[in-house]
Amino acid sequence: MSPPATTRSAPGAAATGAASKHPHATGPPRQQNGGVTAFATNPVLRRYWHAVARPDALLAGPLAVTLLGERLVVWRAADGRLAAAVDRCPHREAPLSAGAVTDLGLQCPYHGWTYDAAGRCVLVPSAGAGAAIPARAALEPVWVAECYGLLWLCLDEPAAPIPAIAEDADRCFRRINQPVERWAASTTRLVDNFLDTAHFPFVHLGSFGGAADAEVARVALEPLDDFYGYRYEVVAANALGAAASGQASATVERRMSTGFALPFLVRSTIEYDSGLRHTLLLCSAPLDDTATWFTFVVWRNDDFSVPGDEVTRLDRMIGAEDKRMLEQVPGPLPLDATTLVNVQADRASVEWKRRLKDLLSEH
Ligand code: FES
Ligand SMILES: [Fe+2]
């Protein structure tokens, strides 16, 4: 991970600035029956890591990314270092993401001012060589890290590291990445969905849900490494056969666990009778209250013979089914305890909502 050379201003001040800079990015907070729904500009979220892109997205030059209602730019400097900042040139506010990376740094497309990886201006072409550079000619840096084949951003001093996935350092496992997609659904809706198994026989009828029992067994919540959640077993239709499960039967038993790490990460582990283990990290990052950067990462201890695209085909089908459902559900999820009706099967989601609401109310 590479923290920026300087840290940001106090969280409260930074978030106020963000809201006033981009007043149309998130729209007014939605209130449903008095429920708390708006979350994306809460300053506490700026202190957590959010996965926003694949590293190869930087090959073509600087990348514009909206995260938590802020417009940001991410680039790789000529020496290979990653850098990120608020996407605004302090000279005349041009978007630096429309510029280019030169040997000196990130060059603004408007008048060519150029910034190093720490956000310091190192060149003002109009001033001529040797002229003093104004002290305030600096970008607002953002923390950036490369981890699990993804680019992660954190807008203020990180409150917690990116959760550990032990499989990533285990040579028995390979890692398979997916593209980062923009979903027109609220991040809180995504996380709620990923913690929920009761939708399997309905939403996932076309993939693995055909054999799932609609009745959801009681689960106990427990710490699961860096996550918090539950273990369970499902009988799944073996839709894609051995490529997905390592066995050829019509149905397969999947011993699973699902847990969350605040604010928006979910890890699912699947173990088949064949000994095959398949771990998924579901990464959801808010562009704003109603749109999400979504991607997932798979770790798998197979013999590496089946192409990665093939082993993740089932996961991609499942993701597309969730996306189709969630893009029909308007606005963010109410986080308070009374707006929605919950049943036993919603236990993990209710616990995540409670903890997220506590986190958000710290500010
Ligand atoms: S706006 Fe960036 S150099 Fe003028
Ligand atoms: Fe789902």
Side-chain angles (χ1 to χ4, degrees):
M1 290 177 200
S2 53
T6 52
T7 51
R8 304 288 309 276
S9 51
T16 308
S20 60
K21 261 180 274 171
H22 304 298
H24 306 298
T26 55
R30 279 171 54 95
Q31 297 289 326
Q32 297 173 344
N33 306 330
V36 180
T37 61
F39 63 93
T41 55
N42 187 299
V44 78
L45 297 179
R46 302 170 63 92
R47 301 198 56 207
Y48 287 85
W49 291 99
H50 305 276
V52 296
R54 299 286 309 282
D56 59 9
L58 303 181
L59 292 174
L63 177 73
V65 175
T66 298
L67 176 66
L68 305 176
E70 281 249 38
R71 287 180 212 186
L72 309 171
V73 56
V74 189
W75 74 100
R76 197 181 287 281
D79 66 2
R81 258 196 301 169
L82 280 173
V86 174
D87 193 9
R88 170 190 167 273
C89 180
H91 179 225
R92 289 295 179 271
E93 302 190 309
L96 293 151
S97 54
V101 177
T102 71
D103 282 348
L104 280 183
L106 178 62
Q107 183 186 63
C108 178
Y110 201 172
H111 310 91
W113 291 24
T114 301
Y115 301 88
D116 69 12
R120 283 182 303 254
C121 183
V122 292
L123 178 70
V124 176
S126 63
I133 288 173
R136 291 196 303 120
L139 308 181
E140 291 177 58
V142 163
W143 295 63
V144 57
E146 191 170 346
C147 185
Y148 308 146
L150 295 169
L151 295 175
W152 301 70
L153 299 179
C154 185
L155 277 73
D156 286 325
E157 178 105 32
I162 297 168
I165 302 289
E167 290 86 335
D168 200 59
D170 185 337
R171 296 170 72 93
C172 295
F173 285 80
R174 58 169 158 166
R175 190 183 70 217
I176 306 166
N177 280 98
Q178 301 298 317
V180 177
E181 298 177 351
R182 184 186 189 282
W183 286 19
S186 180
T187 303
T188 46
R189 299 276 183 199
L190 268 72
V191 178
D192 175 62
N193 172 279
F194 299 150
L195 295 172
D196 160 30
T197 62
H199 73 279
F200 288 0
F202 302 95
V203 172
H204 299 304
L205 207 53
S207 54
F208 74 100
D213 192 348
E215 186 176 335
V216 174
R218 273 177 180 267
V219 294
L221 299 178
E222 58 181 317
L224 302 165
D225 308 314
D226 279 358
F227 298 80
Y228 189 78
Y230 56 102
R231 298 170 204 266
Y232 57 110
E233 292 189 3
V234 291
V235 177
N238 194 15
L240 298 181
S245 64
Q247 49 197 96
S249 46
T251 59
V252 283
E253 261 190 36
R254 290 154 59 116
R255 282 181 299 284
M256 302 186 60
S257 79
T258 294
F260 61 82
L262 287 177
F264 304 125
L265 292 172
V266 173
R267 186 193 69 172
S268 249
T269 63
I270 304 165
E271 201 180 330
Y272 296 97
D273 286 341
S274 61
L276 186 68
R277 281 164 60 202
H278 189 94
T279 296
L280 282 144
L281 182 65
L282 307 170
C283 306
S284 311
L287 281 84
D288 52 37
D289 279 324
T290 57
T292 302
W293 297 118
F294 172 71
T295 191
F296 65 90
V297 188
V298 168
W299 290 265
R300 192 173 161 99
N301 65 342
D302 59 8
D303 63 5
F304 302 4
S305 63
V306 181
D309 252 14
E310 189 60 25
V311 297
T312 54
R313 199 151 70 96
L314 180 64
D315 296 318
R316 286 200 307 278
M317 285 168 70
I318 295 169
E321 288 168 337
D322 285 324
K323 180 171 189 273
R324 209 173 305 128
M325 182 70 250
L326 293 176
E327 289 190 338
Q328 299 174 61
V329 185
L333 185 79
L335 296 178
D336 65 284
T338 55
T339 303
L340 301 178
V341 181
N342 295 297
V343 293
Q344 171 67 29
D346 300 314
R347 191 151 174 227
S349 156
V350 166
E351 181 62 15
W352 165 74
K353 278 199 305 173
R354 191 183 67 73
R355 291 183 183 210
L356 179 66
K357 188 163 169 273
D358 281 357
L359 181 73
L360 295 175
S361 62
E362 282 172 20
H363 289 269

